[in-house]
């Protein structure tokens, strides 16, 4: 295949940070207000508007967004939070960081998201003793939020969205982040938009937003900074990061449309029967943080693509419950475990030329045909 296809280093991710972001950062640097200035508040207002929520609270990264959200929702010592084993470990770590216990249920083999039926069975096995449910919109595809809302209501649990990978995705026409009691985003460089490092929690609950603002700022009273009403953290976002975020948010709709267009080209172009391409139900809008295929010979496919200059990634090679930090978790989740052996992400980011995307699809078909 190498004689037919030879791409010059197609990266899996390529953050687009250009003049607009640079001008905003220079403006902050020149103002002298590198932190606790006006940029963070402006970014929060714009992001809340984008998500259709009453509040947005910026944090230092996606993990602190999850941690702060759980704390503000009064999830803590002795509580149980149901989530997916197929995610970045930060999803479960945030649960432990507030003193709660992460419990897992298996995932759906088509969407790769937490399976609502498996989640219901897990809740039943725990006699309904679950305090929060935290589905992840993995790779940018919304989880089945109607069913998780019903399940959360049935067991009087809080519903938290881990939307770290899903900026711009929608479920039944509503933006992710607005569908639970709180939604959490990450702005890591590889995400659909970035602030370098950063996170955001969105919510419609005034009391939760107030607790969030206190928790991320050393437990200060939001109205009187000299008063510390509780023990909190320094999880604040800087004005430099927020300046980048405001510029990126203005471009996010175009970024997402480019990702979706590239995903359509890949799905149309890949015709190898042994390759499973992503699904997208009619009531969901996938934002394609990752374009992830499945192959029973995943490692060989990755090696062959790398050989012709196409970067790939495995998200994730080990399910959370099999990580050493979670070795006390004795349950087995067969679908998640199988997926970690089969999933492979290929480039889908907005910087790709149409011809390059088509060549990626051709390369996948050629690799499979040569096996």
């Amino acid at each position: 295949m190498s004689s037919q296809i030879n791409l010059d280093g197609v990266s899996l991710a390529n953050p687009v940070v250009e003049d607009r972001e640079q001008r905003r950062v220079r403006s902050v640097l020149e103002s002298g207000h590198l932190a606790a200035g006006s940029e963070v508040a402006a970014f929060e207002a714009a992001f809340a508007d984008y998500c259709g929520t009453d509040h947005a609270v910026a944090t230092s990264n996606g993990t602190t967004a999850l941690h702060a959200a759980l704390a503000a929702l009064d999830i803590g010592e002795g509580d149980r939070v149901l989530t997916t084993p197929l995610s970045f470990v930060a999803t479960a770590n945030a649960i432990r960081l507030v003193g709660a216990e992460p419990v897992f249920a298996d995932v759906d083999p088509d969407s790769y998201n937490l399976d609502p039926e498996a989640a219901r069975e897990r809740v039943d096995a725990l006699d309904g003793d679950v305090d929060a449910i935290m589905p992840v919109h993995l790779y940018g595809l919304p989880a089945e939020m109607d069913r998780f809302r019903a399940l959360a209501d049935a067991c009087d649990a809080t519903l938290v969205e881990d939307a770290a990978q899903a900026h711009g995705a929608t479920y039944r026409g509503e933006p992710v982040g607005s569908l639970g009691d709180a939604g959490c985003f990450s702005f890591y460089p590889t995400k659909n938009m970035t602030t370098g490092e950063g996170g955001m929690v969105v919510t419609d609950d005034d009391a939760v937003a107030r607790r969030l603002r206190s928790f991320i700022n050393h437990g200060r009273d939001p109205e009187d900074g000299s008063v510390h009403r509780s023990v909190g953290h320094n999880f604040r976002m800087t004005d430099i990061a927020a300046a980048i975020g405001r510029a990126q948010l203005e471009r996010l709709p175009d970024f997402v449309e480019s990702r979706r267009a590239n995903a359509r080209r890949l799905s149309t172009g890949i015709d190898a029967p042994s390759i499973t391409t992503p699904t997208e139900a009619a009531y969901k809008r996938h934002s394609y943080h990752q374009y992830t295929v499945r192959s029973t010979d995943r490692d060989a496919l990755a090696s062959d693509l790398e050989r012709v200059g196409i970067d790939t990634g495995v998200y994730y090679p080990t399910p959370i419950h099999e990580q050493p930090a979670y070795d006390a978790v004795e349950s087995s989740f067969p679908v998640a475990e199988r997926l970690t052996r089969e999933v492979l992400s290929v480039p889908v980011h907005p910087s790709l030329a149409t011809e390059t995307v088509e060549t990626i699809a051709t390369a996948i078909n050629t690799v499979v045909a040569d096996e």
Side-chain angles (χ1 to χ4, degrees), residues 40-58 168-170 173-178 183 185 187 193 200-204 213 245-246 249-250 252-253:
V40 170
F43 181 35
E44 289 173 335
F47 200 83
D49 184 64
Y50 181 82
C51 292
T53 56
D54 291 340
H55 305 280
V57 178
T170 62
E174 298 298 322
V176 299
S178 68
F185 293 83
F187 302 127
M193 61 169 285
M200 190 77 77
V201 184
V202 296
T203 183
D204 286 329
R213 295 195 182 282
R246 288 181 68 196
L249 182 59
E250 292 167 1
L252 180 59

Side-chain angles (χ1 to χ4, degrees), residues 37-361:
S38 61
E39 283 294 319
V40 170
F43 181 35
E44 289 173 335
F47 200 83
D49 184 64
Y50 181 82
C51 292
T53 56
D54 291 340
H55 305 280
V57 178
T59 68
S60 53
N61 57 62
T63 308
T64 57
L66 291 166
H67 185 170
L70 290 169
L73 290 161
D74 291 329
I75 301 299
E77 197 72 34
D79 290 335
R80 287 185 175 133
V81 181
L82 177 64
T83 192
T84 171
L86 188 62
S87 180
F88 184 54
V89 72
T91 300
N93 283 355
I95 297 167
R96 280 195 171 170
L97 287 168
V98 296
E101 176 192 359
V103 294
F104 302 102
D106 213 344
V107 301
D108 178 82
D110 296 321
S111 70
Y112 315 150
N113 283 326
L114 184 62
D115 184 338
E117 184 59 25
R120 185 193 62 76
E121 291 174 359
R122 184 71 162 138
V123 169
D124 288 347
L126 295 169
D127 295 325
D129 186 13
V130 170
D131 301 280
I133 299 173
M134 190 158 70
V136 177
H137 305 308
L138 194 66
Y139 307 143
L141 180 66
E144 293 290 343
M145 293 305 296
D146 284 353
R147 296 182 67 182
F148 288 120
R149 177 79 274 173
L151 181 61
D153 289 347
C155 60
D156 195 26
T158 297
L159 183 60
V160 184
E161 296 174 72
D162 183 339
Q165 302 181 5
H167 321 63
T170 62
Y171 179 84
R172 301 195 187 280
E174 298 298 322
V176 299
S178 68
L179 305 164
D181 297 299
C184 305
F185 293 83
S186 167
F187 302 127
Y188 187 73
T190 59
K191 296 301 194 290
N192 288 16
M193 61 169 285
T194 185
T195 61
E197 277 276 17
M200 190 77 77
V201 184
V202 296
T203 183
D204 286 329
D205 190 312
D206 296 348
V208 169
R210 181 184 175 84
R211 289 194 293 269
L212 276 166
R213 295 195 182 282
S214 177
F215 185 78
I216 69 167
N217 194 19
H218 297 290
R220 281 189 169 100
D221 186 314
E223 276 77 48
D224 185 350
S226 67
V227 177
H228 297 261
R229 298 195 177 278
S230 61
V231 176
H233 290 270
N234 178 1
F235 285 171
R236 300 186 303 262
M237 177 179 282
T238 69
D239 274 44
I240 293 172
I244 298 171
R246 288 181 68 196
Q248 289 270 297
L249 182 59
E250 292 167 1
R251 303 166 69 182
L252 180 59
D254 290 339
F255 287 163
V256 173
E257 284 307 315
S258 292
R259 287 176 177 274
R260 288 179 54 79
N262 288 339
R264 285 192 295 271
R265 294 184 185 104
L266 288 168
S267 293
T268 300
I270 297 171
D271 61 8
S274 63
I275 301 296
T276 302
T277 56
T279 62
E280 181 183 37
Y283 55 92
K284 298 181 181 181
R285 183 175 185 265
H286 201 317
S287 62
Y288 289 100
H289 166 60
Q290 300 287 352
Y291 183 91
T292 302
V293 301
R294 286 177 61 188
S295 170
T296 55
D297 201 5
R298 185 268 310 287
D299 293 342
L301 175 61
S303 295
D304 284 335
L305 293 177
E306 296 279 357
R307 193 173 299 119
V308 298
I310 300 171
D311 195 14
T312 64
V314 176
Y315 305 104
Y316 297 90
T318 305
I320 296 173
H321 67 284
E322 292 184 350
Q323 291 286 354
Y326 291 83
D327 59 7
V329 178
E330 298 179 356
S331 298
S332 177
F333 305 102
V335 178
E337 291 158 17
R338 184 173 75 248
L339 287 171
T340 61
R341 299 189 295 269
E342 296 181 354
V343 293
L344 186 71
S345 296
V346 300
V348 73
H349 57 78
S351 299
L352 296 169
T354 299
E355 299 77 16
T356 302
V357 177
E358 293 170 349
T359 302
I360 293 169

